[in-house]
Amino acid sequence: SYRLPDGDTVLHSILKCDRFHESYPRRTRKLNAERCSLSRTEPRELLITCIAAGANVYARNEAGQTPSEIASAYGREKE
């Protein structure tokens, strides 16, 4: 499977990426309610799709981290 130079797979990358609802001020979030809503649900849907397509959930990056460990480090255990 494809990996970035740091050994991250698509699962690692999805879990590490910024979320709109986490990075914008509350006032901006209200103005962009739809984008905030998608920012909460779409990464999870993407992860499900990648895993269903055969992405290796046990793959380790160059730092030795699995996607589950990345999720924990970024506070995304529910994804």
Side-chain angles (χ1 to χ4, degrees), residues 8-16 47 51 56-61 64-79:
D8 282 354
T9 65
V10 67
L11 299 178
H12 291 93
S13 298
I14 293 169
L15 290 162
K16 286 181 175 181
L47 288 167
I51 292 167
N56 183 356
V57 297
Y58 302 107
R60 293 190 178 270
N61 62 15
Q65 299 168 306
T66 64
S68 294
E69 292 168 329
I70 296 291
S72 180
Y74 282 75
R76 298 189 169 133
E77 295 89 347
K78 293 182 180 181
E79 291 181 16

Side-chain angles (χ1 to χ4, degrees), residues 36-47:
C36 283
S37 176
L38 292 174
S39 151
R40 288 185 175 92
T41 59
E42 291 303 310
R44 184 173 190 275
E45 294 300 319
L46 226 112
L47 288 167

Side-chain angles (χ1 to χ4, degrees), residues 26-40:
R26 186 169 299 279
R27 190 178 113 244
T28 305
R29 284 186 261 169
K30 288 179 184 178
L31 297 173
N32 293 292
E34 183 179 348
R35 288 178 76 188
C36 283
S37 176
L38 292 174
S39 151
R40 288 185 175 92

